[in-house]
Amino acid sequence: ILLILFDRILELFITVVLIVGGYQFYFWAQRRTWPPARYFETRFDEMIDFDPRWVWIYSGLYYPMILLAALSVPSWQAYAYAVGCFLTLLAVQVVIFAAWPTAIPAHWRYVERDKHPHSMRMLDLVWSYDKLRNGLPSMHVSVAMMVDLTIWQNWPVAGYVGGLFPLLIATSALKTKQHFVADVVPGALLGIAVFFGWRYFVA
């Protein structure tokens, strides 16, 4: 039992290191200034009201669910394949972000700050790392979709319940003005494509 517990803790530790390290590639792509970024703001984006309280879903639920996906994997070999799948998604995302960058408008971050000060402080922390060149497709949504599929593959019942997770992350990305409406569906489709492509060709 102690050995199993040690393995689980080690998996969580490795997953945290991979999250922190993997996001450095994302931040590198975000901080590039060439080529010029595109903007996909539509009237649908104007219809969505900003609400900083959704940051607790956008970041507060996002990372624990990734850890839960790691815990759902039954063996070290399966964990290694799952990590490979997520790293493949990261590689595809970074190539897209670097070659065809998309940015959100700067005015989206000049918002009313008095209504929900605790949430705004948390969102300011997110914004200090997450710059305007956020990227199409949404990485948060693509990872959320892959997390749900990973849990569904290993814990089917939990996977069905967790199907709400990508929807919550997509909604939070829009309500915190982190992404265009045009970013979220391609993000979900990319997560699905990489997950099943990896299963078919590799795992």
Side-chain angles (χ1 to χ4, degrees), residues 62 65-70 72-73 78-93 138-155 158-159 162-167 169 184-199 203:
Y62 179 71
M65 286 295 289
I66 296 175
L67 296 179
L68 185 63
S72 76
V73 178
Y79 178 78
Y81 278 114
V83 167
C85 186
F86 278 90
L87 291 178
T88 300
L89 175 63
L90 173 64
V92 173
Q93 291 273 23
S138 166
M139 186 168 179
H140 255 63
V141 175
S142 63
V143 170
M145 182 60 70
M146 189 172 286
V147 162
D148 180 55
L149 291 170
T150 301
I151 295 173
W152 170 74
Q153 181 182 27
N154 299 303
W155 296 340
L164 290 173
F165 175 55
L167 180 60
I169 292 298
V184 295
V185 173
L189 293 176
L190 180 61
I192 293 169
V194 173
F195 179 83
F196 286 105
W198 179 267
R199 285 187 65 188

Side-chain angles (χ1 to χ4, degrees), residues 4-21:
I4 294 173
L5 180 61
F6 176 78
D7 286 350
R8 301 281 87 180
I9 293 173
L10 184 58
E11 280 181 2
L12 291 178
F13 178 77
I14 292 171
T15 303
V16 170
V17 172
L18 288 170
I19 291 171
V20 175

Side-chain angles (χ1 to χ4, degrees), residues 71-201:
L71 286 176
S72 76
V73 178
S75 67
W76 277 106
Q77 183 183 36
Y79 178 78
Y81 278 114
V83 167
C85 186
F86 278 90
L87 291 178
T88 300
L89 175 63
L90 173 64
V92 173
Q93 291 273 23
V94 168
V95 168
I96 294 173
F97 295 159
W100 302 284
T102 303
I104 59 174
H107 69 81
W108 278 13
R109 293 193 173 175
Y110 291 95
V111 295
E112 185 180 352
R113 316 181 68 83
D114 299 331
K115 286 186 177 180
H116 308 288
H118 297 297
S119 298
M120 275 307 310
R121 280 196 289 272
M122 180 61 179
L123 192 54
D124 281 335
L125 177 62
V126 172
W127 286 347
S128 69
Y129 294 98
D130 211 358
K131 304 306 180 184
L132 295 174
R133 289 162 73 101
N134 245 345
L136 166 72
S138 166
M139 186 168 179
H140 255 63
V141 175
S142 63
V143 170
M145 182 60 70
M146 189 172 286
V147 162
D148 180 55
L149 291 170
T150 301
I151 295 173
W152 170 74
Q153 181 182 27
N154 299 303
W155 296 340
V157 175
Y160 289 122
V161 176
L164 290 173
F165 175 55
L167 180 60
L168 286 171
I169 292 298
T171 303
S172 69
L174 297 176
K175 293 294 284 184
T176 55
K177 295 298 182 181
Q178 283 287 91
H179 282 283
F180 297 116
V181 171
D183 295 347
V184 295
V185 173
L189 293 176
L190 180 61
I192 293 169
V194 173
F195 179 83
F196 286 105
W198 179 267
R199 285 187 65 188
Y200 182 79
F201 291 107

